[in-house]
Amino acid sequence: MSFFGKENNRLPARWALPVAAAGLLGLAAFQLPADDNPVRTLAEKAAAFYAAARPEKVYLHLDRPVYGTGETIWFNAYLVDALRHRPDSLSRIVYVELLSPQRRLVARRTLRVEEIGLAHGDIELDDSLRAGTYVLRAYTNWMRNQGPAFFYQHQLQVWPAAPTQPVDKPGPLTPARPGAQKTAPAKVDVQFFPEGGTLVAGLPSTVAFKAQAATGRGVAISGQLLDAQNKPVGTGFKSQHLGMGHFSFTPAAGQQYHARVTLPGGGTADYPLPAAQASGYALHVADNGENFAIEARYAGATPPGPALLVSEVRGYIVGLPPRPLTSDGKPVTWTVAKSKYPNGIVHFTLFDAQSRPQAERLAFAQNGPAALKITLTADKAAYAPHERVLMKAQVTDASGQPVTTRFSVAVAEQGAATLDANAETIASNLLLTSDLAGYVEEPGYYFKNQSPEITQALDDLLLTQGWRRFVWKDLLAGPVPAPQYRAEQELAIRGQVTGMGHNPIANSQLTFVQTKPIRQFLSATTDAQGRFSFVGFDGKDTTVVTLQARRVNGGANVTVRPDLGAHTQGGLPLPGLPGVAAAPPAVADYVRRSRQQRVVERQNMPADDIRNVQLADVAVTGQRSQSVIPSDDPRRLIPGVVGGTVLDFTKMPEAQSGIPIFSLLQGRVAGLTISGNPPNQSIQIRNSGTPLIILDGQRVDADVINTINSVDVEAVEVYKGNEAAIFGGSGGAIAIFTKRGNKNYKGPLPGGPRENTSLAIVKLPGYYQAREFYRPRYGAPVLNAPEADPRRLTIYWNPSLQTDSKGVAEFTFYTADGSGNFQATAEGLTLTGEPGRGTGTIYVAPKR
């Protein structure tokens, strides 16, 4: 166990990236003295940002795109650096969380990442969950420095396992891109996005639009642009894909434009466009196949001087020669080959003569087909139920050469595997959605092929989505802020001790008492920012620690704020489901079959692997005293259990003196024996032994109670004999309820306002041990195959397959009772950062 009272936020020297390190920057710079080269200055600013930020990405490969309540999500996590998409070495811990439609935490998995950036796990969807749209998110502690917008976030549809199960209703829309013009109370929300960021009077402009229903899904619309006198401008417009499209026009000075939109169902509504500025810059980017053609214009009273165009893809910067702009709107142009960039989003920025950003535009560079190809072939075209399947995976690069790599594979009924045919893939995530702000509907669609329709749809998407890595204005304003969160190589308990107004308390005296899985006692002091960090946990079991802080003078008016992970609440509720009756027929059929696989999984699950057994409310017999703690108080270990001898500390004058709890109990409860001196007291109950100690609903060791003063306690309940049987063991039980643990406590709190709590109990989960996917072995010498195997959804999952030197890997599995087509889906990532995906299909004939 180690303690770090001083958080070192400086990155090691080996993490610092020089300006032109490892191909980080590609400079197509014009001829100027090095000191006066604005491209180099901008490149150095970007390099400093990336060197300090060390951005990471996480992607989850799921066994299926949608689920039903009662099923299990099987996933494989890929952790990479955000620039080259190579296995990340900065972090060794990934957190995977499931958030409810109200964005509350449902489940969390703490995963140990292998050296090659992989980790796998599973999340069981409890039968009691409400059906709806959930968020599956994944992140590292280091990723928190840039905020939840940079986490992996996947909207997951969870359908009801039974027709009568409640379904969350659709929620409001996801937030729009900042600065977008929108209307709030309409059934269909239509937003308009001028290319480059603004409309300028007298300059030709392209305007993209996005139409969304109340569910947050895109809807088809058409419309006509009108001026302030309701005169038509242009020939009208129509959405092309998921409610998105674009049109072009030249705004006139002094005019305000709006669009009259024909909505689904035939109704119409008017939506305003952003107002046109009297002067400013316009930026236009055209995809000409192998090249980007860029055009810039300016309208204003005086010529603005030369304009500089800088483009960037994941830290790779290309600066193009400056062009002198005039004030009459005449265009200047650049042409740049896509081959200059790695695949991904190109961030074009137009700078003025003073190197101030004036216009921005996103485009996508795709150089040829996918660099990694995974081909799945089975040994037969058709199989009988319970028959062994041998499947071969061949992995090659763009030139057809074999690739040695790791990948994950799932085999699921084709109907379930394709319910969301355009679901996210490893390529769409790493190359597209992970660098965009906001939710992207059907991201897999944009990577199906490079047809003109898809290329245009992708361009419309990038016109309506915000880029989120950095803002040039902020980058040029000053140094990059120091990171607040550490990169984790091992499990840790971190946090901060603060006073009033969250002001950090330096040199606070911190007491650390660990009661599980081992017992140890430590003391430490916080650093200048009031921070603390304890590391060295082996991660095999959940660790229970009590932290207590005091000021240097011994005062308890402080708050211990353990870092419990990323924020789980806030933001708008997620889009709801339409209900099974309104869902596609494939969904209704899928829901009916979901329960069948759940039954088989339960029947074949080892007894010691059944988790989350919930205790029902239990009534305790015997003599009871009137408790000051309600029976349904969340601080109770077992809801509904009320009884024993009750001591109301709020009505005991002695309790306000702050003497140790055990000293105050001595002589007040018959049969209770206290021995030793503070802070090393022990407790016994006559004819029972050592009691179970419960602090605000959590089992703790007596050493923890020795650190608590009676002034912090609201009440104590002592259970003896038969009263304590419900808690387990034979030594009785003592339940201690603190004032700070009661959010409804009305009396005065020691040390000041309610936010002050100098005591915190922290449960640090160990690394999650992923369950093994159930695989029956038919025909094996051991008779462990079930007579019936109604698996019809996911019938095989393997998160860790490895190709050999020939790029080949083979795996086997057995078919189930269900017949029909089954789809195998494999995803992987090379050590050089190339994502790949492949599918294959088998047919299972019906039983004869």
Side-chain angles (χ1 to χ4, degrees):
M1 176 68 60
S2 300
F3 169 77
F4 299 95
K6 293 184 178 180
E7 293 276 356
N8 181 8
N9 288 326
R10 293 176 59 93
L11 296 175
R14 66 178 183 276
W15 291 352
L17 299 179
V19 171
L24 174 66
L25 302 174
L27 299 178
F30 41 86
Q31 297 300 316
L32 284 175
D35 293 342
D36 297 328
N37 191 332
V39 175
R40 182 166 299 280
T41 300
L42 295 170
E44 289 174 349
K45 290 287 188 178
F49 164 78
Y50 282 119
R54 290 293 307 273
E56 300 174 314
K57 294 181 180 179
V58 180
Y59 170 73
L60 300 183
H61 175 206
L62 311 182
D63 63 308
R64 280 183 277 124
V66 297
Y67 297 86
T69 55
E71 294 179 3
T72 299
I73 303 170
W74 303 91
F75 62 84
N76 193 36
Y78 293 83
L79 174 61
V80 299
D81 77 88
L83 299 185
R84 296 295 169 262
H85 296 163
R86 294 170 180 168
D88 186 55
S89 60
L90 184 62
S91 298
R92 280 285 176 265
I93 299 175
V94 165
Y95 301 95
V96 178
E97 298 173 342
L98 183 68
L99 305 185
S100 73
Q102 292 73 36
R103 301 183 186 271
R104 294 186 176 91
L105 184 65
V106 175
R108 174 182 287 153
R109 299 289 182 259
T110 302
L111 303 178
R112 177 68 175 173
V113 180
E114 301 177 35
E115 291 186 2
I116 55 175
L118 298 177
H120 65 276
D122 55 88
I123 294 177
E124 188 174 351
L125 301 173
D126 193 84
D127 292 327
S128 63
L129 286 180
R130 292 179 65 92
T133 302
Y134 286 68
V135 164
L136 189 65
R137 75 176 186 180
Y139 61 93
T140 67
N141 195 58
W142 181 256
M143 291 171 69
R144 295 171 63 193
N145 288 304
Q146 293 187 290
F150 293 88
F151 296 175
Y152 170 85
Q153 298 193 66
H154 178 73
Q155 289 194 11
L156 193 70
Q157 291 186 350
V158 178
W159 292 89
T164 57
Q165 188 168 352
V167 178
D168 276 336
K169 296 180 180 180
L173 297 171
T174 53
R177 190 184 78 177
Q181 186 74 31
K182 61 179 291 185
T183 57
K187 292 183 179 179
V188 174
D189 182 81
V190 182
Q191 305 173 46
F192 295 94
F193 306 88
E195 184 178 19
T198 57
L199 293 175
V200 181
L203 298 185
S205 300
T206 295
V207 177
F209 59 88
K210 175 183 289 187
Q212 290 179 304
T215 60
R217 310 295 179 183
V219 295
I221 62 167
S222 60
Q224 175 64 55
L225 182 65
L226 304 173
D227 63 15
Q229 292 74 39
N230 284 325
K231 293 181 180 180
V233 178
T235 57
F237 57 87
K238 183 179 180 180
S239 61
Q240 301 299 316
H241 180 69
L242 297 177
M244 291 178 287
H246 69 277
F247 58 85
S248 299
F249 81 111
T250 300
Q255 277 284 358
Q256 177 63 52
Y257 297 91
H258 62 281
R260 185 155 296 162
V261 176
T262 301
L263 305 172
T268 62
D270 286 0
Y271 298 85
L273 267 67
Q277 298 181 0
S279 63
Y281 293 80
L283 180 65
H284 176 66
V285 177
D287 187 335
N288 291 340
E290 295 182 354
N291 303 305
F292 290 116
I294 305 100
E295 180 182 277
R297 300 172 187 259
Y298 177 79
T302 59
L308 173 67
L309 187 69
V310 173
S311 56
E312 188 254 359
V313 179
R314 302 198 310 272
Y316 191 92
I317 290 182
V318 176
L320 300 177
R323 298 280 193 264
L325 282 171
T326 60
S327 60
D328 57 2
K330 291 183 179 180
V332 297
T333 60
W334 297 267
T335 299
V336 59
K338 291 182 181 178
S339 59
K340 287 187 175 291
Y341 307 102
N343 288 342
I345 296 175
V346 185
H347 180 207
F348 288 100
T349 306
L350 185 70
F351 291 86
D352 63 17
Q354 288 74 42
S355 295
R356 295 174 301 194
Q358 295 292 344
E360 292 184 319
R361 168 73 147 89
L362 301 182
F364 194 85
Q366 177 68 52
N367 295 297
L372 187 67
K373 183 179 180 181
I374 303 177
T375 304
L376 299 177
T377 55
D379 58 336
K380 294 169 57 177
Y383 299 85
H386 300 186
E387 186 174 357
R388 179 177 179 269
V389 178
L390 172 63
M391 188 160 278
K392 173 183 175 181
Q394 175 72 60
V395 183
T396 58
D397 60 19
S399 63
Q401 297 301 308
V403 175
T404 301
T405 190
R406 291 269 291 273
F407 64 98
S408 45
V409 64
V411 181
E413 187 190 47
Q414 193 171 44
T418 58
L419 278 176
D420 188 353
N422 295 318
E424 185 176 55
T425 67
I426 189 170
S428 71
N429 176 267
L430 295 181
L431 299 179
L432 182 67
T433 56
S434 59
D435 290 320
L436 288 177
Y439 169 69
V440 177
E441 184 180 359
E442 298 187 4
Y445 168 81
Y446 304 103
F447 289 81
K448 283 191 168 183
N449 56 60
Q450 293 181 267
S451 68
E453 294 78 14
I454 291 180
T455 300
Q456 183 59 63
L458 178 55
D459 196 56
D460 289 338
L461 172 74
L462 295 177
L463 281 167
T464 60
Q465 297 284 148
W467 193 70
R468 63 184 185 186
R469 278 297 156 194
F470 61 79
V471 177
W472 276 112
K473 183 178 179 180
D474 296 339
L475 211 61
L476 298 173
V480 179
Q484 180 180 353
Y485 302 99
R486 287 187 173 188
E488 292 181 322
Q489 294 282 324
E490 57 185 334
L491 292 174
I493 293 179
R494 295 188 174 94
Q496 188 178 35
V497 178
T498 65
M500 291 287 292
H502 290 214
N503 294 321
I505 303 298
N507 301 315
S508 171
Q509 307 300 308
L510 199 66
T511 301
F512 172 102
V513 180
Q514 181 178 347
T515 58
K516 182 184 177 182
I518 62 174
R519 295 178 59 183
Q520 60 177 322
F521 179 91
L522 298 172
S523 61
T525 58
T526 59
D527 67 5
Q529 287 76 43
R531 297 190 177 278
F532 59 87
S533 177
F534 294 93
V535 299
F537 306 98
D538 61 18
K540 295 180 181 179
D541 298 290
T542 296
T543 299
V544 179
V545 169
T546 299
L547 300 172
Q548 187 173 40
R550 290 287 188 270
R551 292 180 179 267
V552 175
N553 61 6
N557 58 333
V558 298
T559 300
V560 179
R561 302 183 184 277
D563 185 354
L564 302 178
H567 189 55
T568 59
Q569 298 188 33
L572 297 174
L574 296 161
L577 299 178
V580 176
V587 170
D589 183 54
Y590 157 78
V591 169
R592 286 193 296 269
R593 299 191 307 270
S594 176
R595 278 278 180 183
Q596 298 175 353
Q597 181 161 338
R598 173 69 171 165
V599 171
V600 175
E601 289 176 345
R602 283 295 191 186
Q603 290 175 345
N604 293 278
M605 185 184 297
D608 59 357
D609 199 32
I610 298 178
R611 297 173 171 83
N612 300 326
V613 178
Q614 300 294 325
L615 294 177
D617 289 349
V618 180
V620 177
T621 59
Q623 183 179 2
R624 298 185 181 183
S625 301
Q626 182 65 35
S627 178
V628 297
I629 309 299
S631 62
D632 60 350
D633 192 288
R635 291 174 293 171
R636 291 195 177 278
L637 178 65
I638 304 176
V641 176
V642 179
T645 302
V646 179
L647 293 92
D648 186 349
F649 274 39
T650 64
K651 297 180 179 179
M652 298 169 60
E654 299 91 337
Q656 310 315 308
S657 62
I659 65 176
I661 295 176
F662 288 162
S663 298
L664 192 60
L665 292 178
Q666 191 167 16
R668 285 182 165 82
V669 180
L672 200 64
T673 302
I674 309 296
S675 58
N677 297 311
N680 298 305
Q681 293 176 298
S682 61
I683 190 167
Q684 297 280 319
I685 295 180
R686 185 190 308 138
N687 299 326
S688 295
T690 302
L692 172 69
I693 307 296
I694 306 167
L695 179 63
D696 286 340
Q698 299 191 49
R699 300 184 182 187
V700 299
D701 191 84
D703 292 342
V704 173
I705 308 305
N706 279 316
T707 67
I708 304 174
N709 288 329
S710 57
V711 70
D712 295 319
V713 176
E714 181 180 1
V716 172
E717 296 176 355
V718 180
Y719 298 82
K720 298 178 291 183
N722 293 335
E723 294 177 332
I726 188 62
F727 296 102
S730 57
I734 298 177
I736 300 170
F737 303 90
T738 67
K739 297 174 182 177
R740 305 184 188 282
N742 180 5
K743 64 180 181 180
N744 298 317
Y745 182 72
K746 303 300 183 182
L749 288 174
R754 173 166 303 281
E755 71 166 8
N756 292 335
T757 172
S758 60
L759 182 73
I761 300 176
V762 181
K763 282 189 175 181
L764 179 67
Y767 296 119
Y768 180 72
Q769 300 298 315
R771 292 184 296 164
E772 183 177 353
F773 186 84
Y774 169 62
R775 303 172 192 171
R777 296 178 58 198
Y778 296 104
V782 290
L783 302 178
N784 66 338
E787 294 182 2
D789 182 2
R791 293 174 301 148
R792 299 239 358 212
L793 303 174
T794 301
I795 63 174
Y796 178 76
W797 166 253
N798 192 329
S800 183
L801 286 168
Q802 171 79 49
T803 59
D804 58 21
S805 60
K806 298 180 180 179
V808 174
E810 293 183 340
F811 56 95
T812 62
F813 58 92
Y814 285 88
T815 61
D817 285 350
S819 61
N821 291 316
F822 290 78
Q823 178 173 296
T825 303
E827 289 194 322
L829 188 70
T830 68
L831 294 178
T832 57
E834 300 294 344
R837 184 177 188 269
T839 61
T841 304
I842 63 171
Y843 175 74
V844 179
K847 277 187 175 182
R848 295 183 178 180

